[in-house]
Amino acid sequence: MEKIEKIWFDEGKIFIETDCTNEYSIPLEVFPILKDASSKDKSNYKIWNNGQSIRWEGLDEDIHISSFFKEHKLNSNNPVAALFNGFPQLNVAEVANMIGIHKSLLYQYIYGVKTPSNEMMQEIKDAFHLIGKRLLAVQ
């Protein structure tokens, strides 16, 4: 099994090189915590699990080598992205907190990495409606 030897970031992606000299990459949208992290935080990682995983202790983020073997399609033209694009002033982390999910999952819905269930989509819309009601109540 291949082992991670080296990692780097470039052009909005995370890259790895393995002990077999193969290179793989994933768009950072798949890992929103890394996408939002500073260069300093991104550089503070360790390769562990016998070369099978990367850990960012300060970010509480892990990536297994198997993630690099999957195809990750982004779809920025989706209903969740449309909602947030219409209200760029909204704090994604706070909306995620209202819904009761982690902000990285909500970002994955926004980037189209994952698709919310019908129930989750309704919860996202309900959060927007609640924000709107609170705004209307301001006097």
Side-chain angles (χ1 to χ4, degrees):
M1 179 174 278
E2 291 182 82
K3 295 180 182 181
I4 300 168
E5 295 253 319
K6 176 181 168 187
I7 79 158
W8 69 97
F9 296 88
D10 193 25
E11 299 177 8
K13 294 181 179 183
I14 180 173
F15 291 82
I16 63 167
E17 183 177 308
T18 68
D19 58 345
C20 300
T21 68
N22 293 325
E23 288 185 9
Y24 304 96
S25 68
I26 302 175
L28 285 175
E29 287 82 358
V30 176
F31 302 103
I33 290 174
L34 289 175
K35 182 173 175 45
D36 291 342
S38 68
S39 295
K40 181 180 177 184
D41 286 337
K42 287 178 190 173
S43 66
N44 191 15
Y45 66 89
K46 68 178 180 179
I47 298 172
W48 67 288
N49 191 19
N50 196 26
Q52 298 301 295
S53 299
I54 311 163
R55 171 79 180 153
W56 288 265
E57 191 68 38
L59 299 172
D60 192 25
E61 183 74 278
D62 296 280
I63 301 177
H64 191 268
I65 192 171
S66 62
S67 297
F68 289 89
F69 304 144
K70 299 175 187 173
E71 184 177 356
H72 299 279
K73 293 184 180 181
L74 303 178
N75 175 14
S76 59
N77 186 20
N78 68 71
V80 181
L83 283 172
F84 279 91
N85 288 339
F87 300 94
Q89 63 276 37
L90 287 179
N91 181 312
V92 174
E94 290 301 322
V95 174
N97 190 42
M98 287 177 68
I99 299 167
I101 62 173
H102 195 275
K103 72 177 182 177
S104 64
L105 178 58
L106 186 53
Y107 272 117
Q108 288 178 332
Y109 293 151
I110 293 167
Y111 297 134
V113 175
K114 293 186 177 182
T115 303
S117 66
N118 291 337
E119 295 80 14
M120 180 55 66
M121 188 65 206
Q122 189 57 54
E123 286 187 48
I124 294 168
K125 289 178 182 178
D126 289 347
F128 272 73
H129 293 155
L130 180 58
I131 291 166
K133 287 178 185 176
R134 288 179 180 169
L135 287 170
L136 286 171
V138 173
Q139 295 199 25

